[in-house]
Amino acid sequence: TPGIYIEEQVPTPPEKPGGYTSNLLAIIGVFEKGPLTEPVIVNGLTDFVEKCGDFTENYSGSKAAYAALQRGVQTLAIINVRGDMAKQAEITLLDKEAKPTLAVRHMHKCEFGNSCSVEVQAGNKPDTFRLILRTPYGKPEVYNDLSTPAHAVEKVAAHSKDFVVEELAQEVQPGSNPDVLAETKLAGGSDGKPIKAADYLGKDDPVTYKKTGLKLLKTLPQVTDFVADKYISDQFSDAMLAAAQEMNAFTYIPVPDTSIVGAISMRQNYDTEFGHFVLGQAKSKSRGWVVPAAVYDAIAHVLCPVQDGTAGFWFGDIESTDIPLTAADIENLTTNQVVCLSWIVNEKRENAMALQSDFTLAADARLRQTYRRRVNSLIVRDLEMVTTPYRSKHLSDGWFAQYEIAIRHYLDKLKGRSDDLNSEVIQDYKISFRRPDEIGNVDEAIEELRIKLFNIADKITIRLMSAADLTA
């Protein structure tokens, strides 16, 4: 019968979060359109075109995104970059007395806005007008029976994905509506000056608090892997690796030098387990585009289960690379911890490109295994999510019991105690807890967590959040 009913349910321990299935790849680069101070999450090729523009030769970020989405990456985080003086395309609409009444602008600072258009028609009702806004992709936006310029501003702000409208009329009075106008393109849009390393590094506006570039990417804690669309500078490569460590993520650095000797020499400048140094450029069969091999390295690690690595993962759309490698070259690069692409025979007995070597840039031999680094990162991220429901609660015995159950439930699933064979990520673990009266917050509840990985003789120690950094 009608009424309000309350049912109290006993919460169950959280399931293991997505783990490796929740990998999120971010690409920082130049795209045809899109905001500069907001990250864009895209799901698939169609969604990308709607939010970031077409896949074109002119935009290196779009080429990198196409390589990822075409190979099977489902979701991307896009960080769009522009040079100084980038401008929005716009047009000023005039009333019947040739006075400015409305400014129509493309939403983002980009040259793409110049390909968009506006049309003004008479509305169906007396003293109203119809505003039609078009982009090269998708259906036109039609705003009918607009009574005043302010009405147009309100409707476009509520519904448009590509345009903004500003009222210019000094005072609202009969006749201030825009006059009829045939379809006319916007003008003045610009991608700005040539992009510099500083544009990729990004800015942090002290007034609006809006960020751009790499600074914006670092506001996305869910990102597990990120890559730039091309080599920018040694300074930016250093910043990418520092950001990866700060975010507990993984990054892939394109080698600026196209020679094997140069790559090995430059590799000596780095000592970190949070990234790869990747040699070469790869040309696609389907589009003929050239994309850094670092992008393909990122794709492989996002799509491969964390415990399986990238062995046997291949790219069918790569036609060739700029550097042909011999077996001796590959061995030399692997020894020096430089990743590269070369030919293999896949399970279909076809020639295909695959990654060779999978070492991090760590000088310490114990920290060179990418597998180790990514499992470590996975566990820390997932444990932070598992512990989220237990924050800001009284540290009672009941709280502690639920907390311990949730942690052990997650770790047991990592050991493969599930019908899902892919959950077999670790071989074993040992954990000890502090009592509630011994701690001040949830981050101190785990005294020590030691994880034994498959195929690695030594163990890794996991420490959470406010505790010390991860150590071997």
Side-chain angles (χ1 to χ4, degrees):
T1 58
I4 298 175
Y5 298 87
I6 298 175
E7 179 184 357
E8 294 187 5
Q9 296 182 340
V10 178
T12 57
E15 291 291 321
K16 169 183 171 293
Y20 62 77
T21 60
S22 64
N23 286 347
L24 178 61
L25 172 61
I27 299 177
I28 178 171
V30 187
F31 302 86
E32 189 176 45
K33 69 170 186 174
L36 305 181
T37 57
E38 299 174 15
V40 178
I41 306 298
V42 299
N43 296 284
L45 295 163
T46 301
D47 194 40
F48 177 91
V49 172
E50 180 178 315
K51 295 176 179 176
C52 300
D54 203 0
F55 299 99
T56 69
E57 173 67 31
N58 297 331
Y59 294 93
S60 49
S62 300
K63 292 189 288 187
Y66 177 81
L69 295 168
Q70 185 268 346
R71 183 58 180 86
V73 175
Q74 297 296 315
T75 304
L76 288 175
I78 300 297
I79 305 295
N80 200 7
V81 178
R82 281 291 183 274
D84 291 335
M85 305 301 292
K87 295 180 179 180
Q88 295 169 281
E90 64 180 343
I91 188 172
T92 298
L93 303 183
L94 306 177
D95 62 19
K96 291 182 179 180
E97 295 182 3
K99 295 180 180 179
T101 180
L102 277 178
V104 178
R105 301 185 181 95
H106 188 265
M107 191 174 290
H108 307 131
K109 296 178 179 180
C110 58
E111 187 176 320
F112 170 82
N114 299 332
S115 62
C116 302
S117 66
V118 59
E119 181 179 356
V120 182
Q121 300 175 352
N124 295 327
K125 299 178 181 179
D127 299 323
T128 66
F129 64 97
R130 178 186 299 116
L131 195 62
I132 304 174
L133 307 176
R134 295 183 175 92
T135 73
Y137 320 126
K139 297 179 180 180
E141 299 178 12
V142 181
Y143 302 92
N144 201 17
D145 296 335
L146 301 171
S147 57
T148 64
H151 190 196
V153 172
E154 176 188 349
K155 289 296 184 181
V156 173
H159 300 287
S160 182
K161 297 179 180 178
D162 281 279
F163 298 91
V164 291
V165 176
E166 179 186 358
E167 185 178 6
L168 300 177
Q170 295 299 314
E171 54 185 76
V172 179
Q173 57 186 3
S176 64
N177 285 345
D179 197 8
V180 171
L181 177 71
E183 183 179 353
T184 306
K185 286 189 174 181
L186 280 60
S190 169
D191 288 340
K193 295 181 179 180
I195 292 178
K196 309 181 297 295
D199 300 316
Y200 272 79
L201 288 167
K203 299 176 182 178
D204 190 348
D205 191 311
V207 177
T208 64
Y209 305 114
K210 291 184 176 180
K211 305 176 189 296
T212 61
L214 185 61
K215 292 182 182 295
L216 176 61
L217 188 149
K218 290 196 288 186
T219 65
L220 295 174
Q222 65 269 46
V223 167
T224 58
D225 301 79
F226 60 93
V227 66
D229 56 354
K230 58 185 176 181
Y231 170 78
I232 306 302
S233 69
D234 290 350
Q235 178 192 16
F236 184 68
S237 297
D238 294 343
M240 290 270 282
L241 290 164
Q245 181 167 354
E246 180 181 338
M247 298 169 65
N248 191 25
F250 211 79
T251 192
Y252 309 82
I253 306 299
V255 176
D257 196 308
T258 56
S259 73
I260 297 172
V261 173
I264 292 174
S265 176
M266 291 196 68
R267 178 265 164 277
Q268 308 307 319
N269 298 325
Y270 299 99
D271 179 11
T272 173
E273 60 173 323
F274 290 87
H276 279 179
F277 204 47
V278 192
L279 174 66
Q281 306 281 324
K283 183 178 181 180
S284 75
K285 295 177 183 177
S286 58
R287 296 290 183 111
W289 290 338
V290 175
V291 174
V295 172
Y296 288 97
D297 192 6
I299 294 168
H301 284 90
V302 166
L303 293 178
C304 289
V306 68
Q307 73 272 27
D308 289 353
T310 58
F313 187 88
W314 48 273
F315 298 94
D317 192 47
I318 297 180
E319 177 182 289
S320 60
T321 57
D322 58 340
I323 306 177
L325 300 173
T326 66
D329 293 333
I330 295 171
E331 183 177 356
N332 193 16
L333 290 167
T334 300
T335 301
N336 288 279
Q337 298 161 261
V338 178
V339 181
C340 60
L341 285 165
S342 69
W343 293 105
I344 64 165
V345 177
N346 65 23
E347 68 268 24
K348 298 180 180 180
R349 302 191 66 80
E350 301 169 337
N351 276 356
M353 279 284 176
L355 295 170
Q356 303 294 330
S357 85
D358 197 30
F359 287 143
T360 74
L361 290 168
D364 188 334
R366 297 174 301 170
L367 306 179
R368 293 181 183 179
Q369 292 181 328
T370 299
Y371 161 67
R372 175 197 186 108
R373 169 70 259 154
R374 290 183 67 83
V375 172
N376 200 327
S377 176
L378 164 74
I379 294 172
V380 171
R381 286 172 175 272
D382 280 1
L383 282 179
E384 288 176 2
M385 288 187 284
V386 167
T387 58
T388 296
Y390 301 93
R391 300 185 185 282
S392 303
K393 293 187 177 182
H394 297 297
L395 306 185
S396 64
D397 289 340
W399 166 90
F400 186 84
Q402 291 184 23
Y403 176 86
E404 182 173 351
I405 290 172
I407 297 294
R408 291 188 182 278
H409 181 73
Y410 166 69
L411 295 171
D412 285 342
K413 289 199 70 174
L414 282 186
K415 287 182 63 178
R417 294 180 182 177
S418 167
D419 294 335
D420 179 11
L421 295 179
N422 286 329
S423 68
E424 191 181 28
V425 178
I426 66 174
Q427 187 171 344
D428 204 355
Y429 71 91
K430 181 179 180 181
I431 188 169
S432 59
F433 295 89
R434 296 184 178 92
R435 295 299 310 164
D437 56 359
E438 299 173 340
I439 62 177
N441 61 68
V442 67
D443 298 326
E444 301 171 355
I446 297 179
E447 183 174 33
E448 184 179 46
L449 172 58
R450 295 184 65 83
I451 303 291
K452 184 176 182 181
L453 301 180
F454 293 102
N455 306 321
I456 294 181
D458 57 322
K459 299 177 178 62
I460 60 176
T461 299
I462 305 293
R463 296 186 184 278
L464 285 177
M465 300 186 67
S466 61
D469 292 336
L470 309 181
T471 56

